[in-house]
């Protein structure tokens, strides 16, 4: 088998891995209202789709601490892409041969396994590759999730304009090609062998480290702050703001992703010149403002601006937490990345689920659901403050 020795290709494959994760997490939300109308789903049942996706990812995050080091990162990353490909392919098949909701749940479960593995594996691969400026590399890596999200929205919108929303199953087949080909790419690139040795303090050691719990809170709030807005942005723009699906997708989740990616690229360039803790504190405050503007503004255009700017506010939260944890708990190893990913996915599950539940209680008023989500950036600010106190002590 042909093997590439240049670690630049490892970075490229990792970037594409986050692109795959963006497809998994952002394609289906574009179809929430389509599913609601076609399959007669309530907001509660749509929320359950989000919960299943991130709930399975959360389970994989936890389970991976037991098998990733034993199997090795190359085998696990190949398995991740296989599950991602299979799940996306099944999404275009099972809802049409089984009961639609059941078929969708099964497909989500399969591709969520791939996404969970990607979250656990890709960041430590990049962290272990030769090179300096790790926090900058981590931020750049996570920016590709944003470019993936933006591409999913733009290309899916173009597809729907050309072929109609009712043809979405064929688009699922096309998106499935991305993990298929990147999986082949990963068979050839070098993967740092040090990751397979399992060095680190392990799960028990982490659970005895008080500092770890602060990072766990930061990951939970980062995931919830980001996904609560991005998962519901399309539906909010279309149903709550009464704009067309095309306009809503382009001015809501697409701009959200573009600004989130911009924040991560800017931080990658400025990582050596600014304080991560201070930027995180500012991001939390800015995020609160964005949620309030989106939920409370009576003007649709202003709400869309708030939604888009929320992407800028949450941009560095997730990668910055990874970087800070790697700096403050250097012996964390595989277990730390896996558990942090677990808490991040717990936030990705609880954030949108809270929005959906409150929306259902509020008779379909999504702005009310989004208003309640402001609790997550508020808790993130509290965590950052506690982190600063720990640093001083």
């Amino acid at each position: 088998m042909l093997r590439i020795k240049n670690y630049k290709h490892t970075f490229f494959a990792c970037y594409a891995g986050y692109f795959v994760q963006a497809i998994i997490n952002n394609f289906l939300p574009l179809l929430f209202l389509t599913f609601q109308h076609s399959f007669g789903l309530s907001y509660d049942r749509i929320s359950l789709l989000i919960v299943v996706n991130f709930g399975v990812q959360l389970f994989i995050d936890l389970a991976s601490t037991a098998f990733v080091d034993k199997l090795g990162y190359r085998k696990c990353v190949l398995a991740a892409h296989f599950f991602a490909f299979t799940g996306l392919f099944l999404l275009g098949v099972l809802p049409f041969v089984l009961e639609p909701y059941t078929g969708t749940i099964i497909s989500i479960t399969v591709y969520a396994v791939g996404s969970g593995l990607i979250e656990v594996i890709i960041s430590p691969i990049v962290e272990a590759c030769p090179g300096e400026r790790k926090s900058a590399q981590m931020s750049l890596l996570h920016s590709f999730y944003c470019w993936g999200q933006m591409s999913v929205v733009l290309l899916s919108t173009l597809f729907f304009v050309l072929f109609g929303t009712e043809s979405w199953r064929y688009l699922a087949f096309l998106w499935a090609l991305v993990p298929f080909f990147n999986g082949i790419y990963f068979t050839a690139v070098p993967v740092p062998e040090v990751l397979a040795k399992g060095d680190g303090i392990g799960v028990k050691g982490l659970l005895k480290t008080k500092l770890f719990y602060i990072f766990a809170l930061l990951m939970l709030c980062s995931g919830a702050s980001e996904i609560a807005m991005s998962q519901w942005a399309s539906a909010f723009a279309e149903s709550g703001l009464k704009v067309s699906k095309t306009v809503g997708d382009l001015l809501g989740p697409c701009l959200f992703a573009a600004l989130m990616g911009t924040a991560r690229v800017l931080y990658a360039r400025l990582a050596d010149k600014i304080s991560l803790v201070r930027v995180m504190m500012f991001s939390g405050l800015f995020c609160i403002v964005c949620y309030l503007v989106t939920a409370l503004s009576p003007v649709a255009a202003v709400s869309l601006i708030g939604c888009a700017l929320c992407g800028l506010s949450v941009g560095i939260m997730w990668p910055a937490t990874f970087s800070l944890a790697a700096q403050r708990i250097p012996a964390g190893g595989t277990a730390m990345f896996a558990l942090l990913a677990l808490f991040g996915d717990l936030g990705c599950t609880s954030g949108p689920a809270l929005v959906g539940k409150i929306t259902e209680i509020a008779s379909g008023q999504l702005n009310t659901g989004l208003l309640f989500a402001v609790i997550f950036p508020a808790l993130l600010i509290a965590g950052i403050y506690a982190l600063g106190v720990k640093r001083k002590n």
Side-chain angles (χ1 to χ4, degrees):
M1 181 183 296
L2 176 64
R3 285 288 171 87
I4 303 169
K5 296 183 178 180
N6 193 329
Y7 276 98
K8 286 185 178 180
H9 288 277
T10 306
F11 284 115
F12 295 154
C14 289
Y15 297 157
Y18 265 85
F19 196 102
V20 169
Q21 191 182 43
I23 296 171
I24 289 172
N25 289 340
N26 295 284
F27 173 54
L28 197 62
L30 297 177
L31 300 166
F32 279 169
L33 288 190
T34 300
F35 277 33
Q36 187 178 48
H37 298 150
S38 300
F39 303 148
L41 303 183
S42 66
Y43 280 102
D44 269 348
R45 297 196 86 190
I46 291 176
S47 294
L48 183 59
L49 298 179
I50 303 173
V51 171
V52 169
N53 179 27
F54 289 106
V56 172
Q57 292 185 46
L58 189 154
F59 172 77
I60 294 298
D61 294 340
L62 180 61
S64 64
T65 60
F67 65 79
V68 169
D69 283 340
K70 294 178 182 178
L71 294 178
Y73 273 62
R74 190 184 300 277
K75 289 180 181 178
C76 289
V77 81
L78 293 178
H81 284 75
F82 170 79
F83 280 106
F85 160 73
T86 303
L88 287 168
F89 184 85
L90 290 177
L91 183 62
V93 176
L94 294 187
F96 300 92
V97 298
L98 301 176
E99 190 277 323
Y101 193 68
T102 301
T104 304
I105 290 287
I106 294 172
S107 305
I108 289 173
T109 300
V110 174
Y111 68 51
V113 173
S115 184
L117 281 172
I118 285 172
E119 186 60 59
V120 171
I121 292 168
I122 298 297
S123 290
I125 286 177
V126 169
E127 189 72 26
C129 283
E132 300 178 353
R133 304 184 74 239
K134 294 296 184 180
S135 62
Q137 290 175 353
M138 193 67 70
S139 187
L140 183 61
L141 168 71
H142 283 261
S143 77
F144 277 83
Y145 178 91
C146 309
W147 309 135
Q149 181 180 352
M150 186 176 174
S151 298
V152 168
V153 176
L154 284 174
L155 295 177
S156 296
T157 298
L158 177 61
F159 181 91
F160 295 147
V161 169
L162 294 176
F163 304 105
T165 310
E166 64 276 5
S167 301
W168 64 266
R169 63 182 303 188
Y170 303 107
L171 184 56
F173 297 146
L174 291 175
W175 283 127
L177 294 176
V178 179
F180 177 81
F181 286 111
N182 199 48
I184 294 175
Y185 192 22
F186 256 113
T187 63
V189 303
V191 175
E193 294 298 329
V194 66
L195 292 172
K197 295 179 181 179
D199 294 333
I201 60 178
V203 174
K204 291 183 179 179
L206 282 170
L207 296 180
K208 294 177 181 178
T209 305
K210 294 181 180 179
L211 191 59
F212 170 76
Y213 292 96
I214 297 178
F215 287 116
L217 174 66
L218 294 181
M219 283 300 295
L220 187 150
C221 294
S222 296
S225 298
E226 175 186 330
I227 301 299
M229 182 66 79
S230 68
Q231 293 282 291
W232 285 108
S234 177
F236 175 63
E238 192 174 347
S239 65
L241 303 181
K242 308 302 180 184
V243 299
S244 70
K245 177 171 178 57
T246 299
V247 171
D249 287 350
L250 292 178
L251 297 182
C254 186
L255 268 182
F256 177 95
L259 290 176
M260 185 165 66
T262 299
R264 290 176 177 177
V265 170
L266 285 175
Y267 178 71
R269 290 180 174 272
L270 302 173
D272 298 331
K273 301 178 182 178
I274 57 178
S275 165
L276 260 183
V277 173
R278 289 180 181 177
V279 173
M280 284 278 281
M281 182 67 77
F282 173 79
S283 294
L285 291 169
F286 187 28
C287 187
I288 290 175
V289 172
C290 292
Y291 265 96
L292 292 177
V293 169
T294 302
L296 299 178
S297 174
V299 182
V302 176
S303 289
L304 283 172
I305 291 172
C307 173
L309 287 176
C310 187
L312 189 66
S313 72
V314 302
I316 74 156
M317 290 179 179
W318 189 290
T321 302
F322 268 135
S323 295
L324 282 170
Q327 292 171 17
R328 303 282 182 91
I329 314 177
T334 300
M336 183 179 71
F337 280 101
L339 289 180
L340 287 179
L342 184 152
F343 279 97
D345 285 334
L346 182 61
C348 292
T349 305
S350 57
L354 175 67
V355 172
K357 188 63 179 178
I358 297 298
T359 298
E360 192 72 22
I361 294 172
S363 303
Q365 297 297 313
L366 258 173
N367 60 320
T368 303
L370 289 171
L371 181 61
F372 271 77
V374 77
I375 188 175
F376 296 110
L379 286 173
L380 180 133
I381 291 172
I384 288 294
Y385 177 78
L387 193 64
V389 170
K390 279 284 186 182
R391 184 71 169 183
K392 292 176 182 177
N393 294 339

